[in-house]
Amino acid sequence: MASYTTLPVAPGVVTGKDLITLLDHAKANGYAIPAVNVSSSSTANAVLEAAAKAKAPVCIQVSQGGGAFLCGKGIADPKGSLPASAAGSVAVALHVRAVAAYYGVPVILHSDHCAKKLLPWFDKMLEADAAYHAAFGEPLFSSHMLDLSEEPDDENVAICAKYFAKMVKIDLFLEMEIGITGGEEDGVNNEDVDPAKLYTTPEQVFAVHAALAPIGAGFSIAAAFGNVHGVYKPGNVVLSPHKLGEHQAHAAAELGLAKGDKPLYLVMHGGSGSTDAEIGAAVSHGVVKMNIDTDTQWAYWDGVRAYEAKHKAYLQSQIGNPDGADKPNKSKYDPRKFIRAGEEAMRDRVCVAFDKLGTNGRLGEGYAANAPEPKAWNFLAGKKSSSWFG
Ligand SMILES: [Zn+2]
């Protein structure tokens, strides 16, 4: 592992200026932060464990469907409003707040795709952020994604600008999408979309920058460059990461910056199944965050599957196994055993992502060595109470 200078951001959930510092560090040093979807405390812990192992910053994100699962599938949201999904999303955010500092890594806490019909979920999370900010001086989440890419561009950008103006007041970062990520994810199906919409133009991207930059600096753009959610590709779509370089070049020219400057924070969706060269090219063009869901879902399942296969003879009844008809099997069917097997496999897959994105070891030599013991209930106090790095 190469040794890097220490990242000037404290461990725990990162918001506001610290988040900008972290993303600038990624952009300047040519790495991206994996953003892994979680739907339980178990999957969240697997991601944190991977980050601790890799000595790397990480992003934990929850989708509306993930939030609904976290609240419990037995609880349905009322028609037209999504408070249960929001409650589940807030629950995992509080979980991460409670434990993150013990892993000794900085964590971006983020919510994933929010289409127009999911705005009630978004609004409810913003309420939690505002309450947290009023109490502790920072938002509960680090950032949220709005995905109005199915709407006409001007409407997409206008809604983002309206929300962003509200969000900057409580130090929230915004991720938005323009152009469409193909495939299917979390109930949003873009499998039959017009292929031209799968490539965002530099002009479209700069229009977003022009609308949002006057409001605040904390926003990123998920531009489509032939990326697809899930592991499959329609034959007529080619992943074209060089297009991200064109977005940066166009924005730099429009802003009168030097050639080679990368003024945009770009995000890559649909990274599952991409080649190392494609990922490397995307990162070289200023992708600072890459989403991963499909591959880590598979890894978690594969860990559980392998566990069941290995211990099959001990998992058929509470009592009785090859060692004897009266032998108990409790030590094998305890959920902490098979769930742990899923966590370990997911952790290892997230570590592969750190490798591919160049994130390994980026916290630097001696990171967190001088960090204070996390304060009791640090997650309730926010980072306001931490004097680390002043
Ligand atoms: Zn996505």
PDB file of all heavy atoms in Angstrom, residues 112-113 145 177 181 185 229 269-270 291, ligand 1:
ATOM      1  N   ASP A 112     -29.853   7.938  -2.051  1.00  0.00           N
ATOM      2  CA  ASP A 112     -29.714   7.627  -3.485  1.00  0.00           C
ATOM      3  C   ASP A 112     -30.914   8.183  -4.275  1.00  0.00           C
ATOM      4  O   ASP A 112     -31.776   8.862  -3.710  1.00  0.00           O
ATOM      5  CB  ASP A 112     -29.567   6.101  -3.608  1.00  0.00           C
ATOM      6  CG  ASP A 112     -28.887   5.661  -4.895  1.00  0.00           C
ATOM      7  OD1 ASP A 112     -28.413   6.525  -5.654  1.00  0.00           O
ATOM      8  OD2 ASP A 112     -28.820   4.442  -5.136  1.00  0.00           O
ATOM      9  N   HIS A 113     -30.968   7.850  -5.567  1.00  0.00           N
ATOM     10  CA  HIS A 113     -32.005   8.320  -6.502  1.00  0.00           C
ATOM     11  C   HIS A 113     -33.319   8.749  -5.863  1.00  0.00           C
ATOM     12  O   HIS A 113     -33.960   7.976  -5.165  1.00  0.00           O
ATOM     13  CB  HIS A 113     -32.343   7.222  -7.514  1.00  0.00           C
ATOM     14  CG  HIS A 113     -31.236   6.901  -8.449  1.00  0.00           C
ATOM     15  ND1 HIS A 113     -31.056   7.533  -9.650  1.00  0.00           N
ATOM     16  CD2 HIS A 113     -30.221   6.021  -8.341  1.00  0.00           C
ATOM     17  CE1 HIS A 113     -29.989   7.049 -10.252  1.00  0.00           C
ATOM     18  NE2 HIS A 113     -29.458   6.131  -9.479  1.00  0.00           N
ATOM     19  N   MET A 145     -29.369  12.783  -3.111  1.00  0.00           N
ATOM     20  CA  MET A 145     -29.467  12.842  -4.563  1.00  0.00           C
ATOM     21  C   MET A 145     -30.905  13.139  -4.996  1.00  0.00           C
ATOM     22  O   MET A 145     -31.851  12.552  -4.486  1.00  0.00           O
ATOM     23  CB  MET A 145     -29.070  11.505  -5.189  1.00  0.00           C
ATOM     24  CG  MET A 145     -29.150  11.551  -6.710  1.00  0.00           C
ATOM     25  SD  MET A 145     -28.942   9.955  -7.496  1.00  0.00           S
ATOM     26  CE  MET A 145     -28.728  10.517  -9.207  1.00  0.00           C
ATOM     27  N   GLU A 177     -28.865  14.255 -11.283  1.00  0.00           N
ATOM     28  CA  GLU A 177     -28.609  13.458 -12.488  1.00  0.00           C
ATOM     29  C   GLU A 177     -29.200  14.144 -13.703  1.00  0.00           C
ATOM     30  O   GLU A 177     -30.319  14.652 -13.660  1.00  0.00           O
ATOM     31  CB  GLU A 177     -29.216  12.052 -12.321  1.00  0.00           C
ATOM     32  CG  GLU A 177     -29.046  11.165 -13.563  1.00  0.00           C
ATOM     33  CD  GLU A 177     -29.171   9.665 -13.270  1.00  0.00           C
ATOM     34  OE1 GLU A 177     -28.760   9.228 -12.170  1.00  0.00           O
ATOM     35  OE2 GLU A 177     -29.671   8.939 -14.136  1.00  0.00           O
ATOM     36  N   THR A 181     -29.388   7.050 -16.701  1.00  0.00           N
ATOM     37  CA  THR A 181     -28.654   5.810 -16.503  1.00  0.00           C
ATOM     38  C   THR A 181     -29.589   4.673 -16.917  1.00  0.00           C
ATOM     39  O   THR A 181     -30.712   4.602 -16.426  1.00  0.00           O
ATOM     40  CB  THR A 181     -28.258   5.649 -15.019  1.00  0.00           C
ATOM     41  OG1 THR A 181     -27.512   6.796 -14.615  1.00  0.00           O
ATOM     42  CG2 THR A 181     -27.405   4.402 -14.820  1.00  0.00           C
ATOM     43  N   GLU A 185     -33.143  -0.285 -11.578  1.00  0.00           N
ATOM     44  CA  GLU A 185     -32.655  -0.250 -10.202  1.00  0.00           C
ATOM     45  C   GLU A 185     -33.769   0.196  -9.294  1.00  0.00           C
ATOM     46  O   GLU A 185     -34.403   1.214  -9.540  1.00  0.00           O
ATOM     47  CB  GLU A 185     -31.461   0.700 -10.056  1.00  0.00           C
ATOM     48  CG  GLU A 185     -30.886   0.686  -8.634  1.00  0.00           C
ATOM     49  CD  GLU A 185     -29.743   1.673  -8.447  1.00  0.00           C
ATOM     50  OE1 GLU A 185     -29.969   2.893  -8.604  1.00  0.00           O
ATOM     51  OE2 GLU A 185     -28.638   1.217  -8.161  1.00  0.00           O
ATOM     52  N   HIS A 229     -27.476   0.551 -14.921  1.00  0.00           N
ATOM     53  CA  HIS A 229     -27.597  -0.111 -13.615  1.00  0.00           C
ATOM     54  C   HIS A 229     -27.675  -1.620 -13.813  1.00  0.00           C
ATOM     55  O   HIS A 229     -28.395  -2.091 -14.677  1.00  0.00           O
ATOM     56  CB  HIS A 229     -28.870   0.340 -12.888  1.00  0.00           C
ATOM     57  CG  HIS A 229     -28.781   1.723 -12.307  1.00  0.00           C
ATOM     58  ND1 HIS A 229     -29.762   2.664 -12.490  1.00  0.00           N
ATOM     59  CD2 HIS A 229     -27.841   2.318 -11.530  1.00  0.00           C
ATOM     60  CE1 HIS A 229     -29.430   3.780 -11.850  1.00  0.00           C
ATOM     61  NE2 HIS A 229     -28.276   3.596 -11.264  1.00  0.00           N
ATOM     62  N   HIS A 269     -22.738   6.315 -11.918  1.00  0.00           N
ATOM     63  CA  HIS A 269     -23.728   5.300 -11.557  1.00  0.00           C
ATOM     64  C   HIS A 269     -23.530   4.107 -12.482  1.00  0.00           C
ATOM     65  O   HIS A 269     -22.916   4.216 -13.533  1.00  0.00           O
ATOM     66  CB  HIS A 269     -25.147   5.843 -11.734  1.00  0.00           C
ATOM     67  CG  HIS A 269     -25.551   6.805 -10.666  1.00  0.00           C
ATOM     68  ND1 HIS A 269     -26.575   6.554  -9.801  1.00  0.00           N
ATOM     69  CD2 HIS A 269     -25.038   8.011 -10.307  1.00  0.00           C
ATOM     70  CE1 HIS A 269     -26.696   7.571  -8.953  1.00  0.00           C
ATOM     71  NE2 HIS A 269     -25.777   8.471  -9.248  1.00  0.00           N
ATOM     72  N   GLY A 270     -24.096   2.971 -12.086  1.00  0.00           N
ATOM     73  CA  GLY A 270     -24.045   1.805 -12.962  1.00  0.00           C
ATOM     74  C   GLY A 270     -22.637   1.289 -13.167  1.00  0.00           C
ATOM     75  O   GLY A 270     -22.269   0.871 -14.257  1.00  0.00           O
ATOM     76  N   ASN A 291     -21.009   4.600  -7.587  1.00  0.00           N
ATOM     77  CA  ASN A 291     -22.008   3.797  -6.883  1.00  0.00           C
ATOM     78  C   ASN A 291     -21.812   2.308  -7.135  1.00  0.00           C
ATOM     79  O   ASN A 291     -21.500   1.898  -8.256  1.00  0.00           O
ATOM     80  CB  ASN A 291     -23.404   4.202  -7.353  1.00  0.00           C
ATOM     81  CG  ASN A 291     -23.793   5.586  -6.875  1.00  0.00           C
ATOM     82  OD1 ASN A 291     -22.996   6.301  -6.277  1.00  0.00           O
ATOM     83  ND2 ASN A 291     -25.027   5.957  -7.130  1.00  0.00           N
TER      84      ASN A 291
HETATM   85 ZN    ZN B   1     -27.831   5.037  -9.781  1.00  0.00          ZN
END
